[in-house]
Amino acid sequence: MSNPYEILGVKENASEEEIKRAYRELAKKYHPDQYGDNPLKDLAEERMRDINEAYDYLTKNRANSGSSYQSSSQNNNNGNNYSSSQNPQYQSIRMDIQRGNFNAAEEKLKRTNVRDAEWNFLMGIVSLRKGWYSQGFNYLSTATRLDPANPEYRQAFNEVNSSYNSYRQPYNNRGASDNDLCSICATLWCLDSICECFGGNIIPCC
Amino acid sequence: MFGYVTPCKMELKIKDFEKFKAYYCGLCQNIKSNYGNFPRLLLNYDMTFLGILLSTLDEDVKYKKVYCLRHPSRKTVVAYGSSALNYASKANYELALYKMKDDIEDDGGFIKKLLYLFYTKIKRNDSIIPFPESELNIYLQELDSLEQGSSYDSLDEISEPFAKFTGVILSHYKNYNEPKEILYNLGYNLGKWIYIIDAFDDCYKDFKSGSKNPLIKLYGSDFLKNKELYDNIKIEIDFNLTLCANACLDAFKKLQIKGDKGLIENILQMGLLEKMDLVYTRSEKRYE
């Protein structure tokens, strides 16, 4: 997706009202439903998609100054913002991911020729979301290998590993010895000692 | 393929253990009323899990005591009256038929064919239970053609049709109003888990009988004799199974549950892992 401001035809410091108005005008012009059997309908659909994307992006970036990744994804990913990228192509793919539209994201990624670190990272995210864990893991690991300094890729890779490790914890800890008695005794002893330091005495016999 | 989704009995509260039994027996009774006596032999734990899971979403189940053929000495507590049980019994029946057909294709047998014919001709009383047969058949055919054609090159790819299959079964439960996506995710990951663990558990048996097995196709059969190769493959399998199980648990936690979560949480948090370890131990015995 190219510059969202350009797509909507507004200035970079446009107000929310201006953005909304621009969107409504363009939607009236390009909404595919009014094209009926017109061969230009496909072009209108494509244009409408770009307009919607640009509008979403601009309004979201106003509303969310922080980073919040809202998606009913399979794997729990807390607070990751996938919408920032230098490359405009990847930008639109990240927005698809943010919206939960993983099929569209995957389609776009497959059509891309360049297979750089970011491509591997995005493919990894998309694969994980659709439940292809082996594939996702491989892509993420390639991404971190190609760009070891990038914290985003490393974080995603680490999250997969930590899900894998942490899931087993409760099962591995089952039947572990109960330390409650030890902690009660230790607490009482500490309490008594501290109280004695201040001149009192909770447990007289020690 | 069946019997992998069970609770970790030693970590179950007694009330949950009794509940599990009541549902198992309740499903048996339900199959009897919808399909007659013989299909009760097809009952399995995975469908019991389905019944319990869907029932915790509605919580319209009741309990009663009946006499059971297998335990004639005392009355058994059974769950009944839940639409989830109806749905689970239909799923049980359809899946059992599918498994029979699959077994016949793998290694023929006249008795098996006879049994299959017999079960398909049974009088059914389940027409009012909405079930997504046509969609499910598409996935079964996809699975069939992938397995027969051997044209896949990843575990993800070959486990996909069955995963979608169970995803659809779970998400098509009509009574439920939640976003279907969460149920679908649960079903998808559970189905993938079942498919992979079943393939892993069966690989030695399939190798000896010459049947097709996805792991043998993907990794060759050398790992069945070489412990080192086996260890590498086990890492991959364990990775997939763990992440699938984790995703199931995550999906379950997102659901709005009316009933008690304890039993399902036990199954998804502990039961699946317990089964995984059991399967690994079983496989590793071969190398001793």
Side-chain angles (χ1 to χ4, degrees):
Chain A
M1 186 187 68
S2 39
N3 193 328
Y5 294 103
E6 263 176 34
I7 295 181
L8 290 181
V10 293
K11 288 207 249 342
E12 293 225 1
N13 57 359
S15 70
E16 203 173 318
E17 229 357 80
E18 283 170 5
I19 293 176
K20 273 198 191 135
R21 213 182 312 136
Y23 173 79
R24 263 181 255 135
E25 302 288 347
L26 287 168
K28 251 191 275 177
K29 220 162 122 187
Y30 288 101
H31 201 284
D33 283 349
Q34 64 198 352
Y35 282 72
D37 286 337
N38 193 322
L40 288 172
K41 185 173 178 177
D42 287 343
L43 276 171
E45 266 174 11
E46 218 178 278
R47 194 71 208 273
M48 198 63 225
R49 248 200 306 272
D50 287 344
I51 293 168
N52 280 330
E53 262 178 28
Y55 179 67
D56 281 352
Y57 177 74
L58 290 179
T59 44
K60 257 203 185 117
N61 272 12
R62 281 177 187 284
N64 303 348
S65 47
S67 46
S68 53
Y69 176 35
Q70 282 132 16
S71 148
S72 47
S73 52
Q74 283 166 230
N75 290 334
N76 223 352
N77 226 318
N78 306 319
N80 286 332
N81 182 9
Y82 286 113
S83 68
S84 54
S85 170
Q86 309 292 3
N87 187 325
Q89 231 177 350
Y90 290 149
Q91 183 73 13
S92 99
I93 292 170
R94 281 172 182 268
M95 280 178 44
D96 281 328
I97 293 175
Q98 197 118 354
R99 263 188 255 124
N101 201 348
F102 304 115
N103 288 331
E106 194 177 3
E107 279 301 302
K108 289 182 187 167
L109 281 165
K110 286 195 172 140
R111 275 186 265 136
T112 316
N113 287 327
V114 178
R115 301 285 153 104
D116 58 3
E118 192 168 0
W119 184 89
N120 276 285
F121 166 71
L122 293 172
M123 271 306 277
I125 297 294
V126 162
S127 301
L128 289 179
R129 291 299 169 268
K130 71 173 191 176
W132 287 38
Y133 306 113
S134 277
Q135 187 172 282
F137 180 80
N138 289 339
Y139 279 126
L140 285 181
S141 131
T142 308
T144 49
R145 192 172 37 85
L146 292 175
D147 189 357
N150 192 311
E152 192 184 22
Y153 310 164
R154 189 144 291 282
Q155 188 195 359
F157 183 68
N158 288 340
E159 265 169 26
V160 175
N161 286 322
S162 72
S163 303
Y164 173 62
N165 291 323
S166 64
Y167 175 69
R168 269 201 177 260
Q169 295 286 16
Y171 179 72
N172 287 346
N173 290 338
R174 75 196 189 293
S177 50
D178 195 351
N179 291 327
D180 279 347
L181 193 58
C182 287
S183 47
I184 290 175
C185 277
T187 311
L188 280 173
W189 177 72
C190 285
L191 194 60
D192 185 48
S193 305
I194 294 171
C195 197
E196 280 170 18
C197 286
F198 288 98
N201 201 351
I202 289 184
I203 301 171
C205 48
C206 62
Chain B
M1 191 186 289
F2 294 130
Y4 287 108
V5 183
T6 51
C8 176
K9 195 162 140 190
M10 300 309 262
E11 291 290 315
L12 269 183
K13 290 193 171 143
I14 291 191
K15 70 172 166 70
D16 289 330
F17 179 60
E18 295 293 329
K19 184 171 160 185
F20 188 77
K21 281 197 296 185
Y23 269 86
Y24 186 74
C25 300
L27 195 52
C28 187
Q29 294 282 320
N30 195 299
I31 292 177
K32 172 179 154 195
S33 62
N34 285 336
Y35 302 99
N37 273 306
F38 277 105
R40 288 161 94 180
L41 297 167
L42 306 171
L43 175 63
N44 62 65
Y45 289 124
D46 311 63
M47 292 300 108
T48 310
F49 169 78
L50 179 67
I52 299 171
L53 173 67
L54 296 178
S55 200
T56 50
L57 304 172
D58 295 331
E59 202 58 7
D60 60 349
V61 74
K62 301 180 271 287
Y63 299 94
K64 66 180 175 187
K65 282 188 165 169
V66 296
Y67 276 113
C68 169
L69 271 173
R70 284 179 69 178
H71 311 103
S73 53
R74 62 178 197 289
K75 279 194 167 186
T76 322
V77 177
V78 303
Y80 77 104
S82 161
S83 38
L85 277 173
N86 261 338
Y87 190 79
S89 81
K90 184 152 188 176
N92 195 119
Y93 182 73
E94 299 284 346
L95 275 170
L97 278 186
Y98 164 71
K99 173 130 202 319
M100 268 191 259
K101 193 156 144 248
D102 198 43
D103 278 348
I104 291 171
E105 273 163 18
D106 273 348
D107 50 11
F110 176 69
I111 306 260
K112 285 187 186 175
K113 289 193 180 129
L114 202 61
L115 269 174
Y116 176 68
L117 213 58
F118 172 70
Y119 278 117
T120 45
K121 298 285 178 229
I122 285 224
K123 191 160 146 230
R124 301 161 65 148
N125 189 17
D126 63 354
S127 47
I128 53 158
I129 306 173
F131 202 69
E133 276 120 335
S134 41
E135 196 172 345
L136 292 178
N137 277 329
I138 295 176
Y139 294 131
L140 290 179
Q141 275 161 23
E142 231 176 80
L143 178 60
D144 229 8
S145 66
L146 264 184
E147 281 181 337
Q148 298 306 323
S150 298
S151 58
Y152 51 92
D153 51 16
S154 74
L155 202 55
D156 289 326
E157 203 180 329
I158 185 61
S159 52
E160 175 96 336
F162 191 75
K164 285 195 203 158
F165 177 82
T166 43
V168 163
I169 288 187
L170 243 78
S171 60
H172 263 71
Y173 179 52
K174 288 298 177 198
N175 281 7
Y176 191 48
N177 292 322
E178 279 261 333
K180 301 276 183 190
E181 206 179 286
I182 304 176
L183 270 180
Y184 180 82
N185 284 344
L186 215 177
Y188 179 94
N189 281 285
L190 192 63
K192 186 163 176 159
W193 185 91
I194 293 175
Y195 188 82
I196 296 178
I197 203 174
D198 182 56
F200 187 71
D201 205 15
D202 281 349
C203 55
Y204 193 65
K205 179 181 90 170
D206 286 343
F207 176 66
K208 287 179 87 175
S209 67
S211 309
K212 288 195 188 241
N213 181 292
L215 298 186
I216 296 178
K217 193 273 173 193
L218 287 168
Y219 306 117
S221 58
D222 288 338
F223 73 90
L224 293 166
K225 299 164 205 132
N226 182 322
K227 181 73 172 35
E228 237 178 85
L229 288 176
Y230 165 85
D231 284 338
N232 286 339
I233 287 172
K234 183 194 151 185
I235 292 174
E236 174 81 0
I237 300 289
D238 188 50
F239 178 76
N240 277 285
L241 288 176
T242 306
L243 287 186
C244 285
N246 187 38
C248 286
L249 186 63
D250 279 350
F252 177 69
K253 286 182 177 166
K254 291 192 183 127
L255 293 172
Q256 304 285 349
I257 304 297
K258 282 194 196 151
D260 182 19
K261 304 185 196 184
L263 182 49
I264 303 282
E265 268 179 4
N266 172 290
I267 294 176
L268 294 178
Q269 178 84 76
M270 312 268 200
L272 300 185
L273 276 172
E274 189 183 48
K275 194 62 79 179
M276 279 156 68
D277 283 351
L278 185 68
V279 168
Y280 298 149
T281 315
R282 249 192 332 236
S283 305
E284 270 146 37
K285 277 209 170 93
R286 276 202 314 271
Y287 300 94
E288 282 158 20

